[in-house]
Amino acid sequence: MTSALQLPTGSQPASSESETPPGAGPLPFGLDRMLDARLSDLIATRRFLHAHPELSGQEFDTAALIARELALAGLEPRLLPKGNGVICDIDGRPSGPVVALRADLDALPLTDVKDVPYRSTVDGACHACGHDVHTTVLLGVGLLLAQLARRGKLDGRVRLIFQPAEEILPCGSLEVIEAGGLTDVTQIFALHCDPNLPVGRVGLRVGPITAAADNITVRLGGPGGHTARPHLTVDLVDALGRLVTEVPALVNRRVPANSGLLLVFGQASAGTQYNVIPNEAMAAGTLRVLDRDTWDQAPKIVAQVVRDVIAPTGATVDVEYLRGRPPVVNDAGAIRVLTAATAASAGPAAVAETPQSMGGEDFSWYLEHVPGALARLGVGRTAANVDLHRATFDVDERAIGVGVRLLVQTALKALAD
């Protein structure tokens, strides 16, 4: 198993130790010492991944690197059919349950603008959502749990899922499910970086924690013509203006006010000349909604409202509604596991109630099949409050140790639950 990505030698950050927060207990079976011994290497891995990002669907070198590191730990990782993701079982007691832990691998199509030694070396690609941290944390968890399994101390099976293509549609989680990633799984857990929480805090919530998110593209057509005689043609620029200003407000009037529906167009185009009415126009955007029932009805509502708005203009309409992902709905039992794991790994004060976000996350598709939960890992930096999906995004790397401790405790408590 080879990879173009090779961890550099002699470039690791200074050795560091994971801090046991006040009120937290030690990891069982001496795992704290193992984590302390590996933490500087994990930080170096995160920085390397950050410097060598791969876009959604192209995570081949990243997947090969992860598979190689897991194989060196004595595990038997398998690549997804496309080769851009990894599934790896850590086998403990054969009669025990199967608990899955998931991380995502892909970067965003942004140019990194940070002035740091690990700035992205790939033009137009940047880990601006923390997936490099998710991947590093899960790798660290795998290395520790492999030691437990070797000692006969793992009370079941833990499945590590390193998933491609979280940021695009179709979602990478569907590839994992199709490849048997959820076979026999009883619960599944994941972390997501949250720059609005300080390091050491973990955001938890029962029920929906993200929104549903879909992509919408509307194409308009007409014969085109001269701007001096718009009455002889179809004025697509005018029609496009009506589309992007009227449709979002009218869609909101067709759904309950508390459904939290948000339709925003991020792209609109029509024409190239000042005196030519174009024969094509388009607008594309996202629809996000907090409520699952409203999400189920959204495609029909949007298509009807678009046609109603455009009909008086005479333009032809084509609505492409690309189903994205439902809301992530955290299972109450899984949140109990995460709450206990957070208290054990970071202290009771680390547990933070987190609001439902308008962001989308394809972890939701796993939860359509098995119970589980997504937690928000505090990565906030004191120097700056930078949101996700910005080219300036960075994390406080102390969060890596917190995340490893949290997911190790989560796996052990879920197996014992």
Side-chain angles (χ1 to χ4, degrees):
M1 203 173 292
T2 61
S3 169
L5 296 187
Q6 299 289 333
L7 291 178
T9 58
S11 61
Q12 286 81 4
S15 177
S16 56
E17 294 185 355
S18 63
E19 301 175 3
T20 303
L27 290 172
F29 311 116
L31 291 182
D32 283 304
R33 292 191 300 275
M34 297 182 203
L35 178 56
D36 289 342
R38 290 189 176 274
L39 191 54
S40 62
D41 289 336
L42 290 174
I43 293 173
T45 298
R46 180 261 163 173
R47 294 184 178 187
F48 186 73
L49 293 174
H50 197 89
H52 301 85
E54 295 181 295
L55 296 177
S56 304
Q58 304 299 314
E59 308 92 334
F60 303 107
D61 289 337
T62 303
L65 183 153
I66 294 301
R68 186 181 68 248
E69 294 298 312
L70 294 173
L72 289 173
L75 298 172
E76 297 181 0
R78 63 182 177 96
L79 294 173
L80 291 178
K82 293 181 181 178
N84 59 347
V86 180
I87 296 175
C88 183
D89 282 0
I90 305 174
D91 293 323
R93 180 169 59 88
S95 59
V98 180
V99 172
L101 306 174
R102 173 271 206 169
D104 33 18
L105 304 176
D106 51 334
L108 286 161
L110 297 172
T111 297
D112 196 348
V113 300
K114 298 187 299 298
D115 184 17
V116 293
Y118 47 88
R119 177 179 173 177
S120 173
T121 61
V122 181
D123 288 340
C126 175
H127 274 294
C129 202
H131 294 188
D132 53 336
V133 174
H134 305 166
T135 299
T136 302
V137 166
L138 190 57
L139 175 62
V141 172
L143 299 179
L144 295 190
L145 293 182
Q147 292 289 334
L148 285 194
R150 191 171 296 116
R151 299 176 186 180
K153 301 293 186 181
L154 192 62
D155 200 25
R157 181 188 306 167
V158 176
R159 179 165 299 156
L160 311 177
I161 297 174
F162 295 88
Q163 177 207 302
E166 192 278 328
E167 296 286 359
I168 64 169
L169 300 179
C171 304
S173 57
L174 300 177
E175 293 182 44
V176 173
I177 294 169
E178 186 177 353
L182 292 183
T183 302
D184 299 326
V185 169
T186 54
Q187 282 184 303
I188 186 169
F189 300 89
L191 302 179
H192 198 294
C193 290
D194 188 344
N196 296 308
L197 282 176
V199 171
R201 301 297 299 280
V202 178
L204 301 176
R205 178 185 178 88
V206 175
I209 191 172
T210 69
D214 298 336
N215 291 356
I216 299 169
T217 301
V218 180
R219 294 180 176 84
L220 306 179
H226 200 295
T227 56
R229 292 174 288 278
H231 61 289
L232 298 181
T233 185
V234 174
D235 188 346
L236 289 191
V237 175
D238 172 72
L240 184 64
R242 298 187 189 200
L243 171 71
V244 299
T245 57
E246 296 180 21
V247 168
L250 290 173
V251 168
N252 280 334
R253 292 297 185 270
R254 302 287 182 91
V255 301
N258 61 358
S259 66
L261 186 145
L262 182 65
L263 173 57
V264 177
F265 288 101
Q267 182 182 10
S269 63
T272 59
Q273 301 296 322
Y274 71 96
N275 61 347
V276 177
I277 294 175
N279 58 11
E280 293 180 336
M282 67 84 64
T286 62
L287 182 139
R288 301 171 187 274
V289 61
L290 301 178
D291 177 66
R292 177 60 188 261
D293 290 339
T294 303
W295 182 67
D296 291 335
Q297 302 170 32
K300 181 178 179 181
I301 293 173
V302 169
Q304 186 60 56
V305 170
V306 167
R307 291 188 171 91
D308 289 347
V309 167
I310 297 302
T313 73
T316 62
V317 182
D318 176 68
V319 179
E320 179 184 326
Y321 195 107
L322 185 57
R323 211 62 156 137
R325 56 209 74 185
V328 173
V329 181
N330 284 341
D331 174 70
I335 287 294
R336 284 195 294 272
V337 171
L338 275 170
T339 301
T342 301
S345 62
V351 178
E353 178 71 20
T354 192
Q356 185 177 4
S357 164
M358 289 303 294
E361 232 289 355
D362 79 345
F363 186 72
S364 56
W365 286 120
Y366 298 113
L367 302 187
E368 296 284 300
H369 299 271
V370 297
L374 175 80
R376 302 199 182 281
L377 178 68
V379 299
R381 298 163 62 93
T382 56
N385 184 15
V386 178
D387 200 6
L388 301 170
H389 288 215
R390 290 184 185 172
T392 53
F393 176 77
D394 206 354
V395 304
D396 186 326
E397 290 176 323
R398 293 178 299 167
I400 293 173
V402 175
V404 172
R405 290 173 56 87
L406 171 58
L407 283 188
V408 167
Q409 289 282 20
T410 298
L412 297 179
K413 292 184 180 298
L415 290 175
D417 196 22

